[in-house]
Amino acid sequence: MWRTAPPFGELMAGCRRSALHLEMRDHYDDPDEAPRVEAWKSGYRPDPADRATWWRPWLDLVAETVGRGVEIRRARIVSEPVSEYTRYLYDGTFTNIAAGERIRWLPRKKASALALPGNDFWLFDGRLVRFGYFSGEGTYLGDEVTDEPAIAELCATAFESVWNEAVPHADYTV
């Protein structure tokens, strides 16, 4: 069944084993993130020693979720050479990893033989899929969730295919 997604915090709170996230866009235009992107463009980089300045409340949610024993993995399919926005993501990824996420990068040209859903998604516990919808410019348009088993299986298979081909963050360079 398809329905409007509940708040993301509720989805994470209900998660017991795994939360998998596949990102396939080279740019996201999030007004809440715009100040961080502009600061990055001006030369600001998160200080590894100053966790209080990192992206809140997201990283707190990740740390709490991982602390409950949930594995969080994120795979990013990226065009190369990478976009400016992807460089921004890359420079801040150490904070996600410090909070407990595992992250890999897959150059888009290596994804050509993979069957992928048409939209970014989160897969919770292998059964609930949250698709995020974006405009061509990267503006967030909304999301839906479904617990249809065939769609969950499609997303699980797609994610694992990407994960197996992707490069761990520590080994990927932009």
Side-chain angles (χ1 to χ4, degrees):
M1 173 167 75
W2 289 87
R3 61 189 185 281
T4 301
F8 196 82
E10 287 181 26
L11 293 169
M12 289 294 260
C15 192
R16 298 292 171 245
R17 295 181 321 276
S18 64
L20 310 178
H21 186 36
L22 182 60
E23 296 177 349
M24 298 183 282
R25 299 184 55 84
D26 289 320
H27 179 79
Y28 296 89
D29 186 17
D30 179 351
D32 293 336
E33 193 172 15
R36 288 188 299 276
V37 173
E38 289 306 313
W40 176 84
K41 286 179 182 179
S42 296
Y44 171 79
R45 298 297 181 267
D47 179 353
D50 188 5
R51 287 180 157 233
T53 64
W54 297 0
W55 183 21
R56 303 285 188 225
W58 172 251
L59 298 173
D60 296 325
L61 178 61
V62 168
E64 185 277 324
T65 303
V66 170
R68 291 189 288 108
V70 175
E71 175 187 50
I72 300 178
R73 291 188 287 157
R74 180 188 305 256
R76 292 177 170 144
I77 299 175
V78 296
S79 298
E80 291 181 325
V82 299
S83 68
E84 181 179 50
Y85 186 84
T86 298
R87 285 183 188 282
Y88 157 75
L89 289 177
Y90 181 85
D91 284 350
T93 293
F94 77 89
T95 64
N96 298 72
I97 292 169
E101 284 189 61
R102 294 174 53 206
I103 299 177
R104 292 187 179 182
W105 303 81
L106 181 64
R108 191 170 308 282
K109 68 181 180 181
K110 293 186 176 183
S112 296
L114 304 180
L116 302 170
N119 295 290
D120 290 7
F121 65 84
W122 279 90
L123 176 62
F124 300 95
D125 292 333
R127 61 170 190 74
L128 182 68
V129 182
R130 177 192 173 269
F131 286 106
Y133 304 122
F134 298 87
S135 73
E137 298 298 321
T139 303
Y140 173 71
L141 300 175
D143 50 58
E144 290 181 302
V145 295
T146 182
D147 57 3
E148 292 184 26
I151 296 172
E153 179 62 29
L154 166 74
C155 291
T157 300
F159 184 88
E160 293 304 332
S161 295
V162 170
W163 189 259
N164 290 335
E165 294 293 321
V167 178
H169 178 73
D171 298 328
Y172 185 74
T173 56
V174 295

